[in-house]
Every structure is written in C-alpha cells, then in structure tokens.
Amino acid sequence: MNISPWTSGIKLVHLDLKGAPPKIEYLQKLIPLLARLGADGLLVEYEDMFPYEGDLKILRANSHPPYSRQEVQIIQDAARASGLEVIPLVQTFGHLEFVLKHKQFSELQEVGYCLGTLNPHRERSLQLVLEMVRQVLDLHPHAKYLHIGADEVYLLGQGEESRQWLNIPSHDIHHLFLSHVKNVVKHIQATWPYLRLIMWDDMLREMSHDTLKDSGLVGHVQLMLWDYSPFLDVENTVRLMEMYSRAGLSEIWAASSFKGSTNVNTCVTCTQRHVDNHLQWLKVATAQPIGAEIQGIAITGWQRYDHLSVLCELLPVGLLSLASCLQTLRHGGFSKEAQASVTEVLGVSSMEVFWVWRFLHSPSVGGPLIPGQRLAELVVELTAILQSEELRFAHTNMYVKGWFSPFHRQKRLVNLVIVQQIQHQAMILLSSVEVKVQALWQEMTQLFPEATAHEWVQQHVSGVLEPLRSLVQDANAIIQEMLPRPSWTHG
C-alpha cells in the first residue's frame, strides 16, 4: 500500500443537505457505515435544513421540515459514536441563494439578478453571516473546525457599491473579495479563537504571490482546493499548492467528489469516473508539493449544484462510488485489495456492481448491508427504462408516425383499428413504468421527505411519460368518438 497524505490524513465525507435531505433514521444507519468504509469525519452543509431561529427562521426549508435541534444533535451523537469528527459548513459570501431569495434579505444581494452573492459593503451583510455562524456553532459545541465556504462568488464587483469601491486607486476585485473574508474570519476568531477555519480556494487562484502573502488570511485559514474531474491536471494542482505554500498558506486540504459533479441532472453515479478523480489526487500527493502541509481530503457528494438547481444523484445511489473512492485513498490505488475491501464492507457480490446494482444479503439479518440499497436498485432500473428506445414509442413507432400524427389527431382522420392497437401498446408501456415509479416512490419516501420524491419524479419521469400520456389521452378520445354507440329499443 502506498502511503500518502490521502491515506494517512483526515478523510471527510461531505453531506450536502440542500436537496434530498435524508430522514434522520436513515442517517443513523448511514453514519456507522461511513466509518466502516474508512471515513474520519463529516463535512456537513445544512443550508436550509438547519433549524435557524429568530430573524433567521425564514431560512428554514418550507417544502419539508428542516432538522430539529434534537435531530442535529442526533447526527453529531451518531458521528461521535462512530469516531467521526463533524465539521459544519456555513456559506459566508457566495452560494447564499437560500438566504438572499427572501425579501427581508434581498437588499443584501450584490446584484439583483444574481441571488447567490452577498453585498460585502453592507454592515448588515456581516451581521447576517455571523448570526448564521453563531447559531450553527451553538448547536455544534464540540466543533474544532468550521468551513466558511467562500467559493464561486459570482458577479462580485458588479454591484453599484462595489463599482464605486473599485474606482478608488489601488482597489481591485481580489482585495474586494479578501476584505470581506478577512472581516468574517476576524470576527469568528474573536469569539471562537480555538476554531480552525477552512475555506474553498477557487477565488484565490488568480491572485499574485504578494496579494496572497498580504491577504490577512495567512495563519488564520486553511485552504481547500477542489477539483472533481477524472482528468484533474496534476501539474497545475501541484503548482497551485506550492504557490499557496510560498505565500504562507501552507495548511491545505483537497476536495474530490464521489457524486454530484458529472452533470447537473445526473441520475445514476458512474463509479469509475469518481475513482479516476481520486487516482489523480493520489498523483498530486505523490508529487509532494513543496511546502504544502496537507491536512486531508473532503470527498464531496453534491446534491444540487446550487440551491436553485435540480437534484443530482440521490445519496444511496452514490454509496458504491463513495466506498470505492474511500478504499482507493486508503490503499493508495484501486487495487484488488481495495476492491475486495469494498465488496467485504458493502456485502456486494463482485465489482460488477460498478455498472449494475446486484447485492448479496447479510446472512446474519437476512437484509441488505447497504442503507437505501433497494432505492438505489430502483433508481438504476427505472433510469434504464426511461432512457430506453421503447419509451420513445410516441415519437418512433411507425404506426404512430404514419397513421396517428398530430395532423391525423387534429383532423380526426384515422384508422380506428390502428388507433386501438396504438392505444393498447401505449397503455401497456405506461402501466409497466408506473408500477416501477410507484415502487420507487414508496421506497424513496421511507428515506427522504415526500417533497423529494415528488421533485425526483417530476424531474426524471414526468417529462418522459408526457408524450405517451398525451398519446393515450388522444387515442381514448378518438376511440370514444368513433365507436358506434349502442342503440336502445323499447319493448
């Protein structure tokens, strides 16, 4: 086994709760499994699932209940019982859509047409993020770290107050970003001096050595470099680490991905893609960036790209990928030993489940070893059906195209026998899919809020089935019109 900072450092699993938040009972089953798979901690991004109070109560999710204060404690208790550290993540600059979408806070938007970025010039902006941090830390009294986000601060500098600020000589966009982050860091450390602060690195990548050195962040934050690509540029990543280290920002984390970074609406996780991402990060570690004090790695699992985007892969669907990524880090590669560890811990029959979910069952309890296994199976099966050529019946069937086109339907110029055949075939297809959807719904609502099931079905199923449903509806109407009506005689 190759020893690297990724095998020996802290391995965090990211729980992104801003979409498809798992029910607390599911998390209680999942967290011990994460520990058995090799995780050392959790990076928890609550967003609107945190039970904010007072003026911030409006930030709570309204499509489903947020976690209660007791449930936030249950998550930490489960983690502590499994030997996992919990690091909360609170966004403090960008990705604040869940806050700034509310009328009470809309005046704090950098620009009105971008909900995510905070106006750094308003005193109320600082007060807002500090109050969010305070409430989260009050419910995490044992936290040793806090992640303050600060990634992808889109359109910073476009607001009127920022434009005026940037017109001052020696002011630039980098110093505008740093001024807010420094302010946040200073106030947090004044109240919680023991906390180690982590932030995303992407807004610093184009800064000069002198700007980084004089940023006011040296000795106060640890940078987390994120790259989720299976083609991660090793040379450039090493260069970035060394650039930060030369500037004094030598305490560095990596951030990889086990799901939620392929496409915005990906439904089924490609394990190999994410394993390849981790193999690239292992190459970065092997290169031994000069001066970098690598703390560990966060294996991210995004549930949405941002608060306003659609759902990415559900957590149970990504567990095989997560297990494979953790074991890749542990073994220094995706070796036969790493694969054997995955099959042993998860109870899967072989690594053929890279492509198809097929599981063994635990002989001791007669049930699946993987929490959410049946849901993962159903998602994979249903996705294959929805992407099949068969489901394109309304667009590709010869009889539909030739004898039941939109023109035929509008003019009622149809062959009744053919319409009846089309109706029969379409109803069989619809029925077979709807049975699977109902099974998925029942399984999903055991693990997630009903709102998640509704969103998932609307996102992945409704649009695919709409042409079939429309076809059946039109066929039913035309058959009803054209069938001879019974004649009644009086005796």
Side-chain angles (χ1 to χ4, degrees), residues 369-436:
L369 292 177
I370 304 176
Q373 167 190 317
R374 181 56 187 152
L375 175 59
E377 291 175 341
L378 286 167
V379 167
V380 173
E381 292 168 10
L382 183 57
T383 300
I385 294 171
L386 293 171
Q387 294 175 350
S388 68
E389 186 65 23
E390 194 175 22
L391 259 286
R392 290 180 49 77
F393 177 87
H395 301 291
T396 62
N397 179 267
M398 180 184 74
Y399 293 100
V400 175
K401 292 193 296 182
W403 285 271
F404 203 53
S405 69
F407 173 81
H408 290 101
R409 288 183 241 177
Q410 182 184 10
K411 298 297 184 181
R412 294 311 199 245
L413 187 66
V414 298
N415 182 319
L416 186 58
V417 173
I418 291 179
V419 174
Q420 288 175 317
Q421 291 174 344
I422 289 171
Q423 179 211 43
H424 179 68
Q425 287 181 263
M427 288 184 70
I428 289 175
L429 278 173
L430 265 180
S431 177
S432 65
V433 176
E434 287 171 345
V435 167
K436 190 71 72 174

Side-chain angles (χ1 to χ4, degrees), residues 306-454:
D306 64 39
H307 180 76
L308 302 176
S309 68
V310 296
L311 293 171
C312 301
E313 310 100 285
L314 296 175
L315 186 52
V317 183
L319 286 182
L320 175 65
S321 172
L322 175 57
S324 301
C325 294
L326 278 165
Q327 292 303 315
T328 295
L329 295 176
R330 178 187 172 200
H331 290 271
F334 199 51
S335 60
K336 289 183 178 179
E337 292 79 11
Q339 296 177 40
S341 296
V342 172
T343 59
E344 178 184 352
V345 177
L346 294 186
V348 297
S349 55
S350 74
M351 287 314 294
E352 291 175 4
V353 292
F354 254 49
W355 318 117
V356 181
W357 283 76
R358 288 295 180 266
F359 297 94
L360 294 177
H361 288 78
S362 166
S364 59
V365 297
L369 292 177
I370 304 176
Q373 167 190 317
R374 181 56 187 152
L375 175 59
E377 291 175 341
L378 286 167
V379 167
V380 173
E381 292 168 10
L382 183 57
T383 300
I385 294 171
L386 293 171
Q387 294 175 350
S388 68
E389 186 65 23
E390 194 175 22
L391 259 286
R392 290 180 49 77
F393 177 87
H395 301 291
T396 62
N397 179 267
M398 180 184 74
Y399 293 100
V400 175
K401 292 193 296 182
W403 285 271
F404 203 53
S405 69
F407 173 81
H408 290 101
R409 288 183 241 177
Q410 182 184 10
K411 298 297 184 181
R412 294 311 199 245
L413 187 66
V414 298
N415 182 319
L416 186 58
V417 173
I418 291 179
V419 174
Q420 288 175 317
Q421 291 174 344
I422 289 171
Q423 179 211 43
H424 179 68
Q425 287 181 263
M427 288 184 70
I428 289 175
L429 278 173
L430 265 180
S431 177
S432 65
V433 176
E434 287 171 345
V435 167
K436 190 71 72 174
V437 171
Q438 184 59 34
L440 179 140
W441 181 282
Q442 292 176 351
E443 197 67 32
M444 195 178 293
T445 51
Q446 291 183 38
L447 308 180
F448 299 98
E450 188 168 307
T452 295
H454 179 76

